[in-house]
Amino acid sequence: NPFRSYTRVAFALPRSGQVRLVVYDALGREIRELHDGNLSAGRHEIEFRAGHLANGIYFYRLETAGSSFVGKMIRIE
């Protein structure tokens, strides 16, 4: 999933609820909070603009009530 200046994080929620989506660098430092709030059930896409970031590996963590998921993104130029 290499990307250049931006990408989208897509996910589906089985039910409405609190969602937190945060991007981290390879050292585990928080880069940006993309979302922190309620979302309805269904499919969602949240855009991550990264034009100012260096090339490299980044991770996102999606947290919902009772579950979490970590994904990897690769920024290339």
Side-chain angles (χ1 to χ4, degrees):
N1 83 16
F3 70 97
R4 294 191 187 274
S5 61
Y6 77 96
T7 188
R8 291 186 177 109
V9 178
F11 56 93
L13 299 174
R15 60 186 168 277
S16 300
Q18 180 72 20
V19 174
R20 185 165 190 252
L21 179 60
V22 180
V23 176
Y24 299 90
D25 67 11
L27 297 175
R29 297 178 293 207
E30 186 174 313
I31 298 298
R32 182 171 308 135
E33 183 178 74
L34 300 180
H35 186 83
D36 188 11
N38 287 315
L39 287 176
S40 60
R43 185 168 164 33
H44 300 274
E45 285 189 5
I46 297 179
E47 189 172 274
F48 173 47
R49 294 215 166 260
H52 65 288
L53 295 176
N55 290 344
I57 297 173
Y58 295 88
F59 298 91
Y60 63 89
R61 181 179 177 119
L62 176 68
E63 298 174 345
T64 64
S67 67
S68 67
F69 174 81
V70 176
K72 180 173 77 170
M73 303 180 286
I74 302 171
R75 165 113 163 82
I76 59 171
E77 199 50 49

